[in-house]
Structures are given as C-alpha cells and as structure tokens.
C-alpha cells in the first residue's frame, strides 16, 4: 500500500514534459475556442470543462497512480502556469503583438445602441445573453449603450451613452441645492398664506 502511494510509475522528467505539453495544448485549444468559452459557462460549456480534466488526466500522469506523482503533476502545472502568466505580463509590455496573438483583441458587441449581430454570430453569443449582461451593468435598454465589448479574457465591459450615465457627486450636490431652493420657496409661500 505505501509503495503505491509514494513510488511513481514514471520518471519525474517524463511527468514534467507530459504536464507542460498538455498545459500548452489546452491553452492553445481554449484560445482557438474563442472568448465565448471564457465569457460564460452554460450547461454545455460546463460539461466540456468538467470532462476536459478527465480526458487529459492520463496524458499528464501516464501509468502513474501514486499520491506523490499526482502532487508532483499538480505542482508542475501550477509552477508552469505561474511562469507563463509572468512571462505573458513581461512580454505584453515589450511586445503588444505577442499579447494580441495569445489573448486576442476585444470585440464590439453593442455600438451606439445597436447589437452587432455579425460579431455575436461569429462569437456564438446569443443576443439575450448580451442584453442581460448590459442590464446587469446598468443599462435599461440596448439603445442606452454607447459601446459594449467582450474583452479577450471573456469579461463584458459596457459604457453607457452620456445621457444615460448615472449621477456623480457634483450632480447630487446640484440636486440638493435645487431642492433647498424649492423648500425655501415653499416655506415662503406657506408663510404668505398663513398671514
């Protein structure tokens, strides 16, 4: 029993290479799958993500079922990801083209209050999902949106038309001043009526 837990079935070098290659393959596949896969997980997408880990498991661990081998594989995966993220951050400052190739570029979903149907079709996004996301971000209607984009990481970012933007601190102060003036007039009218 102890032997099976602590003795790996394959060499650490092979396990490292397997993990790195599977990691690279999954990154490439997710990049090719597009932003939609990252933007939202519907039932079908969730099924794919759950099955993906099971499908590549044997490619990572080989014929090794040891505890140590599993922990080692997980450690290699986390280290490779951390190094890759740092390399990506370093290169994106020095070579923006690299980041665009790796991550992609934002896609406009709504422009000047109109859904960009071609873009939605290309990304396999449903108009209802985009509209729901715009409502969550404060738009009452699509026509209120100046621009909404889906970022390379899958986040949907929206900018309202100027007429639809919320009040800022200065606007609130102006409203309070107006209300104070109205209250003064009401008070004066009530005093005039009462005398």
């Amino acid at each position: 029993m102890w032997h099976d837990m602590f003795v790996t079935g394959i060499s650490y070098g092979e396990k490292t290479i397997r993990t790195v290659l599977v990691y690279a393959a999954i990154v490439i596949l997710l990049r090719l799958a597009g932003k939609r896969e990252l933007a939202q997980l519907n039932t079908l997408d969730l099924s794919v993500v759950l099955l993906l880990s099971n499908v590549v498991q044997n490619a990572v661990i080989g014929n090794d079922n040891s505890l140590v081998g599993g922990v080692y594989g997980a450690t290699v995966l986390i280290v490779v990801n951390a190094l890759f993220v740092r390399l990506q951050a370093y290169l994106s400052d020095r070579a923006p083209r690299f980041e665009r190739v790796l991550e992609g570029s934002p896609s406009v979903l709504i422009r000047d209050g109109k859904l960009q149907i071609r873009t939605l079709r290309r990304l396999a996004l449903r108009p209802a999902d985009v509209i729901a996301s715009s409502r969550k971000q404060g738009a009452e209607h699509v026509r209120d949106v100046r621009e909404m984009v889906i970022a390379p990481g899958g986040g949907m970012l929206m900018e309202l038309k100027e007429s639809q933007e919320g009040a800022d601190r200065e606007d609130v102060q102006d409203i309070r001043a107006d209300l104070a003036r109205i209250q003064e007039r009401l008070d004066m009218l009530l005093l005039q009526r009462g005398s």
Side-chain angles (χ1 to χ4, degrees):
M1 172 174 103
W2 293 105
H3 181 269
D4 291 340
M5 287 179 65
F6 296 106
V7 177
T8 61
I10 60 174
S11 71
Y12 288 110
E14 181 181 345
K15 187 174 285 296
T16 302
I17 292 170
R18 284 172 169 267
T19 303
V20 171
L21 291 176
V22 169
Y23 175 84
I26 289 175
V27 167
I28 291 168
L29 289 171
L30 286 174
R31 173 65 180 99
L32 293 174
K35 293 173 242 184
R36 180 191 179 281
E37 297 302 320
L38 301 173
Q40 57 188 0
L41 286 178
N42 63 30
T43 307
L44 299 174
D45 298 329
L46 180 60
S47 299
V48 169
V49 169
L50 291 174
L51 291 172
L52 185 60
S53 63
N54 195 41
V55 167
V56 299
Q57 175 186 357
N58 289 339
V60 173
I61 65 170
N63 62 353
D64 180 10
N65 290 324
S66 68
L67 175 66
V68 171
V71 170
Y72 179 78
T75 302
V76 168
L77 188 58
I78 290 170
V79 168
V80 166
N81 186 60
L83 291 173
F84 185 75
V85 167
R86 282 169 179 72
L87 176 67
Q88 180 184 358
Y90 175 79
L91 290 176
S92 66
D93 286 340
R94 284 150 187 80
R97 183 180 287 174
F98 172 78
E99 184 176 16
R100 202 169 35 257
V101 167
L102 187 63
E103 288 287 327
S105 57
S107 298
V108 178
L109 305 176
I110 301 173
R111 177 170 280 135
D112 295 323
K114 294 184 177 135
L115 287 168
Q116 303 299 299
I117 300 301
R118 284 186 181 160
T119 304
L120 297 181
R121 286 184 186 143
R122 183 174 49 83
L123 297 174
L125 289 170
R126 297 178 331 151
D129 294 333
V130 173
I131 292 167
S133 181
S134 71
R135 286 189 176 146
K136 285 180 186 173
Q137 295 183 50
E140 289 184 36
H141 194 274
V142 172
R143 67 178 168 259
D144 301 336
V145 179
R146 189 183 81 67
E147 186 173 81
M148 182 174 197
V149 298
I150 184 168
M156 292 187 192
L157 310 168
M158 183 191 69
E159 183 179 339
L160 290 171
K161 290 181 178 176
E162 193 171 313
S163 62
Q164 298 298 319
E165 290 179 354
D168 61 12
R169 180 171 278 162
E170 188 176 313
D171 292 333
V172 172
Q173 288 174 345
D174 290 343
I175 291 169
R176 285 183 177 158
D178 289 342
L179 286 173
R181 282 191 296 275
I182 292 169
Q183 185 64 48
E184 284 178 27
R185 288 182 186 157
L186 284 173
D187 290 344
M188 286 177 60
L189 286 172
L190 288 172
L191 281 173
Q192 288 174 354
R193 220 179 205 185
S195 49

